[in-house]
Amino acid sequence: MKKIKTITCIGAGYVGGPTMAVIASKCPEIKVNVVDINEKRIAQWNDADVNNIPIYEPGLAEIVAETRDKNLFFSTEVDQAIDEAEMIFISVNTPTKTYGIGKGKAADLKYIELCARQIARVAKDDKIVVEKSTLPVRTAEALTSILHNTGNGVKYHILSNPEFLAEGTAIQDLLKPDRILIGGDSDTQEAREAMQALVDVYAHWLTDEQILTTNVWSSELSKLTANAFLAQRISSINAMSELCEKTEADVDEVAKAIGMDSRIGPKFLKASVGFGGSCFQKDILNLVYISQSLGLQEVADYWEQVIIMNDHQKRRFAQHIVKTLYNTVSGKKISLLGWAFKKDTNDTRESAAIYVSDYLLSEHAKIVVYDPKVSSEQVYADLEYLGTHDPAFIREQVKVVSSPTEACFQAHAVAIMTEWNEFNTYNWKEIYQHMMKPAFLFDGRNILNRYEMKEIGFEVYAIGKGP
Ligand code: NAD
Ligand code: UGA
């Protein structure tokens, strides 16, 4: 049975970096190379001060400090790392296509295909290729075709091993996953051995019961299905939040009541200003596209509603701010607390804060942003990427500050966009004193006690709560 001695991961991002750091830490006899074409990112991973690695995740810096340059290596030498490895993880980005057929829905697989062609060009001995990125079902077929038709005659075994970690808890999720999913062929002894080689890697810290093996297509489709179900729960509770606001039911009470039914369960029922993150929207759009391509319009429409509801939730939050501030925010200072798409990460991709700001900018608001982990350049880049407003206008209207006190000083309104724990520890009386009156507070995450805030003097709006 093949024992893996060298692993290469192509893509040093939010998945590749943390996943490989944990594999290196749990498998000291395996050499793990993480490679990327992004030189800046690799330089950050190699920064002498481990606190400067490019991804903020609780516990990650410690694991990198323990393994880096022992059996974990970050580099831009992709060819060399492919050549060296017996097992290659592909963990590159698979964003929504922004051009051509499937624009706005289909997954853009150009980075995946480039990896496959590079592996095919470089490999001189047999390789196990592992799909770690989230991919449309049946991508392994395309990978197999590229590898076998353009390669150097070496053998490839393609496995699907989707990642289920969530940002902000990535290290805990990797150390104690609900399950690891490995999809592969079982037809031949060699194929079974390839699958077993990957099972053996995870078996360094996980039990047999935690490692689920399936056929490749089930594995690929399970990843899209899991994200669709998770996002659907958020859109479902967010839909109820709007109904709660009209009926004086309280969305947190409703969530608790239904979550105690063991068939529903309590997790992922937190109403919010809308889900963000790089994957939920992208993966559901991909599912919609696949369904449409297969002629399954009802299936496509069903899942598309999850996105439609999420867009509505973000928009109605922004609209509510404008309406409450006497139908104009022009020239008014609105303080946004939080820019990351969730707490405990510096990732801002698809964050609700971006869309709410974009809307408020159209109404000529003056926006001041404070986030404990996001840089000002990232905030500007996110707004410019949308292309709605001129970069000069964005820089004129949006200020990014490094303290919450400064953010809220003389603001007409404060909006909580991310559920960072520290927002609960602020002296809200003092913040209130320094705001314009009436002082409006929009809690997009329901993290503050709205009765206490009202006692201080705030005019409070909280998602899914009555007046
Ligand atoms: P990311 O953008 O953070 O990282 C991807 C990296 O791949 C980038 O650094 C990019 O430079 C690199 N890359 C692209 N093409 C390359 C090439 N040809 N050669 C070498 N490097 C290349 O993306 P991510 O968030 O890590 O996501 C990666 C995949 O994992 C996606 O398919 C995503 O859907 C999936 N996923 C992400 C998460 C998450 O929490 N972010 C969780 C589960 C699954
Ligand atoms: C999500 C999934 O949870 C992971 O299993 C998956 O691997 C990953 O996507 C992926 O494929 O990329 P992530 O997006 O990192 O992970 O974080 P989540 O905790 O799922 O949160 C996503 C968004 O939903 C955040 O904006 C969060 O604030 C929001 N959310 C989450 C809610 O509004 N309410 C909830 O109850 C839970």
Coordinates of all heavy atoms in Angstrom, one line a residue, residues 238 241-242 245 250-252 271-274 313 316-317 443-446 461-465:
N238 N -34.1 34.6 7.6 CA -34.1 36.0 7.2 C -35.5 36.4 6.6 O -36.0 37.5 6.9 CB -33.0 36.3 6.2 CG -31.7 36.5 6.9 OD1 -31.6 36.6 8.2 ND2 -30.6 36.5 6.2
S241 N -37.6 36.9 9.4 CA -37.3 38.1 10.2 C -38.1 39.3 9.7 O -38.6 40.1 10.5 CB -35.8 38.4 10.1 OG -35.5 39.0 8.8
E242 N -38.4 39.3 8.4 CA -39.2 40.4 7.9 C -40.6 40.3 8.4 O -41.3 41.3 8.7 CB -39.1 40.4 6.4 CG -39.6 41.7 5.8 CD -39.3 41.9 4.3 OE1 -38.9 40.9 3.7 OE2 -39.6 43.0 3.8
E245 N -40.9 41.4 11.9 CA -40.9 42.9 12.1 C -42.3 43.4 11.9 O -42.7 44.4 12.5 CB -39.9 43.5 11.1 CG -38.5 43.3 11.6 CD -37.5 43.7 10.5 OE1 -37.8 44.6 9.6 OE2 -36.4 43.0 10.4
D250 N -40.6 37.8 17.7 CA -39.1 38.1 17.8 C -38.4 37.0 17.1 O -38.5 35.8 17.5 CB -38.8 38.2 19.3 CG -37.3 38.4 19.6 OD1 -36.5 37.8 18.9 OD2 -37.0 39.2 20.4
V251 N -37.6 37.3 16.1 CA -36.9 36.2 15.3 C -36.0 35.3 16.1 O -36.0 34.1 15.8 CB -36.2 36.8 14.1 CG1 -34.9 37.5 14.5 CG2 -36.0 35.8 13.0
D252 N -35.4 35.9 17.1 CA -34.5 35.0 18.0 C -35.4 34.0 18.8 O -35.0 32.8 19.0 CB -33.6 35.8 18.9 CG -32.5 36.5 18.2 OD1 -32.1 36.0 17.1 OD2 -32.0 37.5 18.6
A271 N -30.7 35.2 12.3 CA -31.1 36.2 11.3 C -30.0 37.2 11.2 O -29.3 37.5 12.2 CB -32.4 36.8 11.7
S272 N -29.8 37.8 10.0 CA -28.7 38.7 9.9 C -29.0 39.7 8.7 O -30.0 39.5 8.0 CB -27.4 38.0 9.5 OG -27.5 37.4 8.3
V273 N -28.0 40.6 8.5 CA -28.2 41.5 7.4 C -28.0 40.8 6.0 O -28.0 41.4 5.0 CB -27.2 42.7 7.6 CG1 -25.8 42.2 7.8 CG2 -27.2 43.7 6.5
G274 N -27.7 39.5 6.1 CA -27.5 38.7 4.8 C -26.2 38.0 4.9 O -25.3 38.5 5.5
Q313 N -32.5 40.9 1.6 CA -32.2 41.2 3.0 C -31.2 42.4 3.1 O -31.3 43.2 4.0 CB -31.8 39.9 3.7 CG -31.6 40.0 5.2 CD -32.9 40.0 5.9 OE1 -34.0 40.1 5.4 NE2 -32.9 39.8 7.2
R316 N -32.9 45.7 1.9 CA -34.0 46.2 2.8 C -33.3 46.8 4.0 O -33.8 47.8 4.6 CB -35.1 45.2 3.0 CG -34.9 44.3 4.2 CD -36.1 43.4 4.4 NE -35.8 42.4 5.5 CZ -36.2 42.7 6.7 NH1 -36.7 43.8 7.1 NH2 -35.9 41.8 7.7
F317 N -32.2 46.3 4.5 CA -31.5 46.9 5.6 C -31.0 48.3 5.3 O -31.2 49.2 6.0 CB -30.3 46.0 6.0 CG -29.5 46.4 7.2 CD1 -30.0 46.1 8.5 CD2 -28.3 47.1 7.1 CE1 -29.3 46.4 9.6 CE2 -27.7 47.5 8.3 CZ -28.1 47.2 9.5
D443 N -28.9 47.4 14.2 CA -28.1 46.2 14.6 C -28.4 45.1 13.6 O -29.4 44.4 13.6 CB -28.5 45.7 16.0 CG -27.6 44.6 16.5 OD1 -26.8 44.1 15.7 OD2 -27.6 44.3 17.7
G444 N -27.4 44.9 12.6 CA -27.6 44.0 11.5 C -27.3 42.5 12.0 O -27.3 41.6 11.2
R445 N -26.9 42.4 13.2 CA -26.5 41.1 13.7 C -27.2 40.6 15.0 O -26.9 39.6 15.5 CB -25.0 41.0 13.9 CG -24.2 41.2 12.7 CD -24.3 40.0 11.7 NE -23.4 40.1 10.6 CZ -23.1 39.1 9.8 NH1 -23.6 37.9 10.1 NH2 -22.4 39.2 8.7
N446 N -28.0 41.5 15.5 CA -28.7 41.3 16.8 C -27.7 40.8 17.9 O -27.9 39.8 18.6 CB -29.8 40.2 16.6 CG -31.0 40.7 15.9 OD1 -31.2 41.9 15.7 ND2 -31.8 39.8 15.3
Y461 N -33.0 49.9 15.7 CA -33.7 48.9 14.8 C -32.8 47.6 14.9 O -31.6 47.7 14.8 CB -33.7 49.4 13.4 CG -33.9 48.3 12.4 CD1 -35.2 47.8 12.2 CD2 -32.9 47.8 11.6 CE1 -35.4 46.8 11.3 CE2 -33.1 46.7 10.7 CZ -34.4 46.3 10.5 OH -34.6 45.2 9.6
A462 N -33.5 46.5 15.1 CA -32.7 45.2 15.1 C -33.5 44.3 14.2 O -34.7 44.3 14.2 CB -32.7 44.7 16.5
I463 N -32.7 43.5 13.4 CA -33.3 42.6 12.5 C -34.3 41.6 13.1 O -34.0 41.0 14.1 CB -32.2 41.7 11.9 CG1 -31.1 42.5 11.2 CG2 -32.8 40.6 10.9 CD1 -31.3 42.7 9.7
G464 N -35.5 41.6 12.6 CA -36.5 40.6 13.0 C -37.1 40.9 14.4 O -37.6 40.0 15.1
K465 N -37.0 42.2 14.8 CA -37.6 42.5 16.2 C -38.6 43.6 16.0 O -38.5 44.4 15.1 CB -36.5 43.1 17.1 CG -35.2 42.2 17.1 CD -35.3 41.2 18.2 CE -34.0 40.3 18.2 NZ -34.0 39.4 19.3

